[in-house]
Amino acid sequence: MNWLDLSPAEWTAVHLSLKVAFWAMLASLPFGILFALLLARGRFWGHALLNGLVHLPLVLPPVVTGFVLLLVFGRRAPVGAFLADHFGIVFSFRWTGAALASAVMAFPLMVRAIRLSIEAVDRRLEVAAGTLGAHPVWVFVTVTLPLVMPGIIAGMVIAFAKAMGEFGATITFVSNIPGETQTLAAAIYTFTQVPGGDAGALRLTLVSVVIAMAALLVSELMARSVSRRIAAG
């Protein structure tokens, strides 16, 4: 069996990982832009505290993050029970929970990439647009946002890649259920725990490397395209 000859269960893990990573990235993107803007431009009491909270998942053990998510969003937890009873949204032991855990773990990396891009923007361009009568929101949409787009793309790719490889928080929060919450990382771990599972683990490892490299390549091409458009404009 070659490394491309994946079993149906392995293909399911690949598809689930792509779905989880995509929705984790997409759901965290607007919050990532908002918090990056607050941290880059905001001058308020509690700025250091907010910065620490945003980056907390980077320094906490992933298992701790997963356990906290279980305490907050578990089926019997206050927030989890409210969402389930009133909106039918269930996170614990579902693929949606895997996406939530992955988003939380990837969020600091996304915010950092976007924040650095915002801090690199020449504020004189925004001031010039403001002196012409443009509303601050319109200035952000038409001036700031295009300039920070390479950073946003980088943040999205970093978040996607982190979500693809997330393991500790995910397995703690939603367990390792084949077909429902078993992502690539969890499937690789499962293969390493059974006799003769090395071949399966190697196949999925190679798939993970290919997906990560493809994401980085697409990110680089998109960032260059955006940069060329900004320079031409």
Side-chain angles (χ1 to χ4, degrees):
M1 179 180 289
N2 60 57
W3 72 275
L4 284 176
D5 190 13
L6 303 182
S7 68
E10 291 168 356
W11 278 116
T12 299
V14 172
H15 176 264
L16 180 63
S17 293
L18 291 171
K19 180 169 71 171
V20 165
F22 173 79
W23 284 108
M25 174 196 69
L26 193 64
S28 58
L29 181 59
F31 299 100
I33 296 174
L34 174 61
F35 278 87
L37 187 63
L38 285 174
L39 293 175
R41 299 286 178 82
R43 296 294 181 269
F44 52 88
W45 184 90
H47 184 278
L49 177 61
L50 178 62
N51 184 64
L53 290 174
V54 167
H55 291 88
L56 193 59
L58 287 180
V59 295
L60 281 178
V63 174
V64 173
T65 302
F67 182 63
V68 171
L69 289 173
L70 191 60
L71 292 178
V72 176
F73 294 100
R75 186 63 180 83
R76 296 182 180 180
V79 177
F82 176 81
L83 292 175
D85 295 339
H86 293 83
F87 302 100
I89 301 175
V90 179
F91 288 109
S92 57
F93 307 107
R94 301 282 180 86
W95 76 267
T96 50
L100 175 61
S102 299
V104 170
M105 294 301 297
F107 188 71
L109 300 176
M110 174 183 281
V111 170
R112 182 166 181 79
I114 300 175
R115 177 184 178 180
L116 291 174
S117 188
I118 292 174
E119 290 175 342
V121 171
D122 188 346
R123 297 295 299 273
R124 291 173 297 181
L125 298 174
E126 298 171 320
V127 172
T131 58
L132 295 176
H135 190 275
V137 174
W138 185 247
V139 171
F140 176 77
V141 171
T142 60
V143 178
T144 310
L145 197 59
L147 292 174
V148 302
M149 190 57 66
I152 292 176
I153 293 173
M156 291 171 64
V157 173
I158 292 172
F160 180 85
K162 174 64 176 175
M164 280 289 298
E166 176 51 39
F167 175 72
T170 301
I171 202 170
T172 304
F173 183 34
V174 298
S175 190
N176 183 12
I177 306 171
E180 181 63 36
T181 65
Q182 189 178 76
T183 59
L184 268 174
I188 292 171
Y189 172 78
T190 300
F191 272 123
T192 62
Q193 302 304 301
V194 298
D198 292 348
L202 179 59
R203 286 195 301 273
L204 293 183
T205 298
L206 291 173
V207 170
S208 299
V209 171
V210 170
I211 293 174
M213 289 299 297
L216 291 173
L217 179 60
V218 171
S219 167
E220 183 67 19
L221 293 175
M222 291 178 64
R224 288 186 180 182
S225 176
V226 171
S227 297
R228 284 196 297 267
R229 290 182 182 180
I230 293 174

